[in-house]
């Protein structure tokens, strides 16, 4: 889940106003008017070529329904998005429409407008949505963003590599012992480490959760990396490269999504990735892709989940128009269009549309993929636990990458690594 957000300088604002168009960032004092021509900035992170096209089309649909509203979409890389957003908050140039991930919401909720009354005015009905997706974007009981998709973590595998190693393909419910045995045989058969390690929070911590029920943050939002379950699970994860020699280690701490990228490139045969990449991974990889739930440990099972959606910045001058725009971007027509393009929607009514799209786009290459995906996503959703984060989670993820690579490479013990991050970021 990539562009630089454009700042609207005073000169540009002035020229736009002279042309009868008001540009909305976080500053200014223009009067609100239902029929006034306004331009709303929409900050989102890069969705890949196909995804970027989809969301630009949605921005265009807003103008089609509300001719007085123009939405300008900008999409920096995900790795830069939240750092950029912090800078925009400081500079007073926050976009009116803010894309938000549930893991980062605690750190940005104070900059967002509660959506309850605004969305009711647009006919918003909670019953139309997956309840878990809605809840993930609430903070202290307030809804701060409206979700656009469902996101759980699953394991992607190379079906051809499993066949080459003489292995049966994994099924939902397979265990950590199964995973380790298969990884060893694939590494021997292909001459490449079978599994791709990652620094991506959801990807890595979901594996630790599935193995030992380990969680990095308490239910009250406090960093808790030194609990016994986390130490056990992280030692195992690091040991996949340092002990078992079956995992590929990121080349540097900057290679956050290492495992998932190496998988699509064909350099590893298994990696954890989100359900949002289901169609892209299956169609981009030059081999047959399979999916399965995360391997179950003796005290684990399930996965962590997160959701992303769209909110309104508190400093937005045109909150009513921003709510109208969001009602189109996540509306019934948009949800169906997005589902038809292979994105699993948060709206309950369009799940069948999504799986029909998966079948249309992937099954001709990998027969049976859509049926397998439907089973695995259902199992994954049933066992999903929302990922609770801290108020400074975005900063913590950067420290995690710098420290965790030391454990992956064996130059620092897993226990010391966790203690270092805890001491630097614990609150």
């Amino acid at each position: 889940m990539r562009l630089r957000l454009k700042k609207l300088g005073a000169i540009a604002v002035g020229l736009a106003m002279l042309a009868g168009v008001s540009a909305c960032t976080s500053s200014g004092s223009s009067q609100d008017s239902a029929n006034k021509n306004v331009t709303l900035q929409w900050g989102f992170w890069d969705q890949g070529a196909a995804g970027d096209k989809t969301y630009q089309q949605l921005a265009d649909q807003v103008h089609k329904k509300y001719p007085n509203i123009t939405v300008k979409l900008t999409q920096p890389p995900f790795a830069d998005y939240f750092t950029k957003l912090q800078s925009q908050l400081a500079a007073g140039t926050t976009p009116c429409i803010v894309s938000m991930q549930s893991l980062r919401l605690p750190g940005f909720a104070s900059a967002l407008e509660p959506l309850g009354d605004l969305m009711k005015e647009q006919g918003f009905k909670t019953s139309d949505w997956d309840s878990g997706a809605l809840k993930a974007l609430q903070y202290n009981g307030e809804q701060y963003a409206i979700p656009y998709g469902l996101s759980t973590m699953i394991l992607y595998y190379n079906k051809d590599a499993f066949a080459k190693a003489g292995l049966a393909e994994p099924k939902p419910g397979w265990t950590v012992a199964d995973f380790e045995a298969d990884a060893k045989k694939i590494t021997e058969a292909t001459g490449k480490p079978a599994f791709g390690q990652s620094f991506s929070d959801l990807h890595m911590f979901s594996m630790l959760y599935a193995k030992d029920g380990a969680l990095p943050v308490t239910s009250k939002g406090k960093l808790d990396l030194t609990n016994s379950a986390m130490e056990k699970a992280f030692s195992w994860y690091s040991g996949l490269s340092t002990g078992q020699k079956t995992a590929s280690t990121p080349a540097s701490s900057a290679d956050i999504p290492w495992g998932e990228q190496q998988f699509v490139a064909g350099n590893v045969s298994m990696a954890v990735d989100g359900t949002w990449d289901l169609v892209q991974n299956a169609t981009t990889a030059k081999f047959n892709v399979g999916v399965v739930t995360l391997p179950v440990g003796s005290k684990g099972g399930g996965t962590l989940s997160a959701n992303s959606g769209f909110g309104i910045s508190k400093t937005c001058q045109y909150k009513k128009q921003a709510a109208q725009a969001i009602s189109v971007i996540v509306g019934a027509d948009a949800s169906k269009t997005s589902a038809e393009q292979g994105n699993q929607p948060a709206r309950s009514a369009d799940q069948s549309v999504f799986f029909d799209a998966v079948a249309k786009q992937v099954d001709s290459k990998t027969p049976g993929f859509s049926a397998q995906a439907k089973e695995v996503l259902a199992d994954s959703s049933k066992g999903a636990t929302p990922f609770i984060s801290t108020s400074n989670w975005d900063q913590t993820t950067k420290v995690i990458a710098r420290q965790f690579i030391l454990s992956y490479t064996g130059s620092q013990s897993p226990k010391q690594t966790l203690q270092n991050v805890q001491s630097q970021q614990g609150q």
Side-chain angles (χ1 to χ4, degrees):
M1 297 184 210
R2 300 177 208 250
L3 294 166
R4 300 288 176 200
L5 289 174
K6 298 178 180 177
K7 292 182 178 180
L8 295 179
I11 295 176
V13 172
L15 292 173
M17 293 181 69
L18 285 173
V21 177
S22 296
C24 177
T25 60
S26 60
S27 59
S29 58
S30 299
Q31 292 181 349
D32 191 0
S33 173
N35 298 316
K36 187 175 184 177
N37 290 336
V38 299
T39 297
L40 306 177
Q41 300 294 320
W42 176 12
F44 200 6
W45 50 84
D46 180 61
Q47 298 289 303
D52 291 350
K53 182 179 179 181
T54 295
Y55 286 100
Q56 182 57 56
Q57 290 172 343
L58 294 179
D60 294 341
Q61 286 181 19
V62 173
H63 186 68
K64 186 175 182 180
K65 183 169 182 178
Y66 298 103
N68 63 312
I69 302 175
T70 298
V71 176
K72 288 195 173 182
L73 172 64
T74 51
Q75 296 177 276
F78 182 80
D80 297 337
Y81 176 81
F82 289 97
T83 300
K84 184 75 175 179
L85 184 56
Q86 289 174 328
S87 299
Q88 290 172 318
L89 285 168
T93 57
T94 314
C96 255
I97 302 174
V98 177
S99 304
M100 185 53 55
Q101 186 200 44
S102 58
L103 274 66
R104 271 74 178 176
L105 179 58
F108 289 95
S110 62
L112 298 177
E113 186 74 16
L115 295 179
D117 292 338
L118 283 167
M119 296 313 296
K120 280 181 182 176
E121 292 175 4
Q122 303 305 318
F124 179 81
K125 296 179 182 177
T126 57
S127 57
D128 291 341
W129 302 81
D130 178 271
S131 59
L134 279 176
K135 188 174 181 180
L137 291 168
Q138 295 172 359
Y139 185 70
N140 288 338
E142 295 279 2
Q143 193 77 43
Y144 284 99
I146 306 300
Y148 60 87
L150 296 179
S151 304
T152 57
M153 308 307 294
I154 57 179
L155 189 135
Y156 291 74
Y157 65 91
N158 183 331
K159 295 168 75 77
D160 303 337
F162 269 75
K164 184 177 181 178
L167 294 168
E169 294 182 27
K171 303 292 183 185
W174 73 322
T175 66
V176 167
D178 296 331
F179 166 79
E180 290 179 333
D182 288 356
K184 181 179 179 181
K185 289 185 178 178
I186 291 173
T187 299
E188 292 172 351
T190 64
K192 300 177 182 177
F195 178 70
Q197 290 176 322
S198 178
F199 298 129
S200 300
D201 42 20
L202 268 173
H203 304 60
M204 172 190 58
F205 284 119
S206 287
M207 277 290 272
L208 309 189
Y209 177 74
K211 182 180 181 297
D212 290 306
L215 291 170
V217 179
T218 70
S219 61
K220 295 185 177 180
K222 298 295 183 184
L223 190 66
D224 186 26
L225 289 174
T226 54
N227 66 74
S228 59
M230 179 58 66
E231 288 183 4
K232 180 180 179 182
F234 184 63
S235 294
W236 168 80
Y237 190 86
S238 297
L240 294 174
S241 56
T242 59
Q244 299 189 39
K245 309 293 185 186
T246 57
S248 172
T249 297
S252 76
S253 61
D255 292 301
I256 304 296
W258 177 264
E260 47 271 41
Q261 290 181 346
Q262 294 300 305
F263 173 76
V264 175
N267 295 325
V268 300
S269 299
M270 296 185 284
V272 177
D273 203 353
T275 53
W276 59 84
D277 279 334
L278 191 69
V279 171
Q280 182 170 320
N281 285 351
T283 56
T284 303
K286 295 179 179 178
F287 50 85
N288 288 303
V289 173
V291 291
V292 66
T293 51
L294 302 185
V296 180
S298 59
K299 296 182 179 179
T303 179
L304 299 176
S305 64
N307 283 90
S308 299
F310 309 118
I312 301 172
S313 62
K314 269 189 176 172
T315 51
C316 176
Q317 300 172 42
Y318 305 106
K319 295 183 176 65
K320 179 177 180 179
Q321 289 89 339
Q324 289 173 327
I326 291 175
S327 73
V328 174
I329 293 167
V330 300
D333 291 343
S335 175
K336 185 177 180 182
T337 298
S338 182
E340 289 172 341
Q341 296 180 2
N343 306 302
Q344 190 176 19
R347 280 180 174 270
S348 303
D350 297 318
Q351 297 305 310
S352 61
V353 177
F354 165 68
F355 286 110
D356 287 345
V358 174
K360 184 178 180 180
Q361 295 183 53
V362 185
D363 283 3
S364 60
K365 175 191 177 189
T366 306
F369 180 83
S370 63
Q372 182 189 44
K374 188 172 185 177
E375 177 188 7
V376 170
L377 266 61
D379 279 2
S380 181
S381 294
K382 281 191 294 188
T385 295
F387 193 140
I388 296 173
S389 65
T390 64
S391 59
N392 62 338
W393 188 248
D394 195 55
Q395 181 183 5
T396 299
T397 61
K398 293 174 173 58
V399 177
I400 282 175
R402 292 196 297 270
Q403 284 290 325
F404 279 26
I405 194 170
L406 301 176
S407 184
Y408 295 176
T409 57
S411 57
Q412 180 173 269
S413 73
K415 184 175 182 177
Q416 185 62 56
T417 297
L418 293 172
Q419 289 176 346
N420 287 350
V421 180
Q422 182 70 37
S423 64
Q424 292 181 38
Q425 295 295 302
Q427 296 175 314

